[in-house]
Amino acid sequence: MFDARTMMQSSNRTGESGCLAGLARAIELAGQDGFLAALADLCQSASGYDSTFIAAFFPDHPPMELFDNLSDEYSAATIKPYLDFAYFLDPFYNLFQQGIGDRVVTLGECAPDDFMSSEYYQTFYADTGLFDETSVFVAFGNGAAAVISLGSREEGFQFGPDQRAALAGLLPCIAALCRRHWPALDPNSLSGSGRMGLHLKKSFDRFATSMLSGREVEIVQLILKGHSSKSIARELGNSPETVKVHRKRIHNKLGITSQGELFSLFLEALTRAPANATGDPLSYLDRPVSGQL
């Protein structure tokens, strides 16, 4: 009879065997149809996650979906809104913009404080059905990255240290395989994607600039990305009390009373601003925003 230690060692050997088989399959299919499914199977086998979404991230361009194995229900609730707008507020996308190279990152490591109470979480993330998420970043020379997003929709799932070590140990192989499969990730192959990505970034940067001070605009941008007052204070080098004063002034100037109203105002302005807009998206709303100076 196996004792507990022997059973654990046997389980580890079985897991390692599965990863080696998955790695061999991914190597065999690199550059061919079926590679992305094999890559997803490899990452899920190593990590214990149950779904995979692979995207290409570009500087100043929207992400491009490369693969997913989500059900139709979760695909509809996740992928379209993510690619349309939500990516710009995504903690993983914001980490990518910092140029992090090849890396394994959990949601907990990059999400701001009180992420689960943020409007981004309530409006978009909660509908994805995810309880946990980890991303594998593979950097390319033009500033792009292949991002393998691994998720679990099993309540109580935990990405443990052994799974983290297994996925991190595979990272050099995953990165080499991705770069072999895609000699380059080029956003120009996506019709119109560069224009839309640039439009979204400019709209985000200009949002409320006609009504708020520079510091207030910075705070609005951090709020939209899910930061709490405490987190904003750390980012800007202020006290939480000072940030709360700024937030009150922002609410008064924009005629809103909550973070939810701010998020809705941003989305409404974003949809109304034309692609060639050069001003504050708020100026394109049919209704005036109360509190305008």
Side-chain angles (χ1 to χ4, degrees):
M1 178 180 294
F2 288 119
D3 59 21
R5 185 173 181 178
T6 302
M7 291 178 67
M8 180 66 73
Q9 291 173 341
S10 176
S11 175
N12 288 342
R13 285 195 296 270
T14 301
E16 290 173 2
S17 176
C19 283
L20 287 174
L23 179 58
R25 182 64 174 162
I27 292 172
E28 179 185 9
L29 290 173
Q32 304 177 47
D33 291 341
F35 168 70
L36 294 181
L39 181 63
D41 289 344
L42 170 64
C43 292
Q44 289 179 207
S45 175
S47 65
Y49 284 105
D50 57 28
S51 67
T52 302
F53 169 59
I54 304 177
F57 282 7
F58 305 104
D60 297 330
H61 294 264
M64 176 183 72
E65 180 187 3
L66 302 173
F67 170 87
D68 79 85
N69 57 12
L70 281 65
S71 68
D72 290 344
E73 174 191 0
Y74 288 124
S75 180
T78 302
I79 295 176
K80 187 179 187 306
Y82 182 82
L83 296 177
D84 282 349
F85 74 91
Y87 76 89
F88 208 75
L89 306 176
D90 175 24
F92 289 113
Y93 182 77
N94 280 279
L95 189 62
F96 155 74
Q97 291 184 308
Q98 299 173 23
I100 63 167
D102 297 350
R103 189 169 160 190
V104 175
V105 184
T106 67
L107 179 63
E109 291 169 348
C110 64
D113 291 348
D114 301 325
F115 175 70
M116 294 182 67
S117 62
S118 70
E119 200 63 27
Y120 169 77
Y121 180 89
Q122 299 296 333
T123 302
F124 167 73
Y125 200 88
D127 289 339
T128 67
L130 289 169
F131 288 100
D132 190 29
E133 185 179 8
T134 289
S135 285
V136 179
F137 291 82
V138 176
F140 284 73
N142 60 347
V147 183
I148 306 165
S149 176
L150 302 165
S152 176
R153 290 171 173 80
E154 177 186 348
E155 189 170 6
F157 171 84
Q158 290 187 338
F159 181 53
D162 290 343
Q163 290 77 18
R164 172 66 179 267
L167 195 59
L170 282 171
L171 180 58
C173 295
I174 292 171
L177 285 169
C178 286
R179 294 185 187 114
R180 181 180 179 85
H181 186 74
W182 299 291
L185 289 179
D186 183 5
N188 294 323
S189 63
L190 294 177
S191 177
S193 64
R195 180 184 61 80
M196 287 304 297
L198 189 58
H199 163 58
L200 181 54
K201 183 180 188 305
K202 288 181 177 179
S203 294
F204 183 79
D205 290 342
R206 293 168 178 162
F207 177 68
T209 53
S210 65
M211 303 175 63
L212 304 178
S213 69
R215 179 46 59 95
E216 289 166 349
V217 168
E218 288 183 272
I219 290 172
V220 163
Q221 291 175 352
L222 289 170
I223 292 171
L224 289 171
K225 291 179 179 180
H227 288 261
S228 66
S229 292
K230 186 184 298 184
S231 178
I232 292 171
R234 285 200 301 270
E235 290 284 327
L236 301 181
N238 288 337
S239 69
E241 290 72 22
T242 299
V243 173
K244 289 177 183 178
V245 171
H246 280 301
R247 293 182 75 148
K248 185 174 181 180
R249 289 175 181 166
I250 290 167
H251 285 185
N252 289 336
K253 289 182 179 181
L254 298 182
I256 59 176
T257 60
S258 68
Q259 178 181 328
E261 289 183 21
L262 174 63
F263 197 83
S264 296
L265 185 64
F266 170 67
L267 292 182
E268 183 181 358
L270 184 64
T271 59
R272 297 299 180 90
N276 60 352
T278 58
D280 181 354
L282 287 176
S283 64
Y284 297 94
L285 293 181
D286 292 337
R287 59 179 178 84
V289 178
S290 59
Q292 187 164 5
L293 295 178

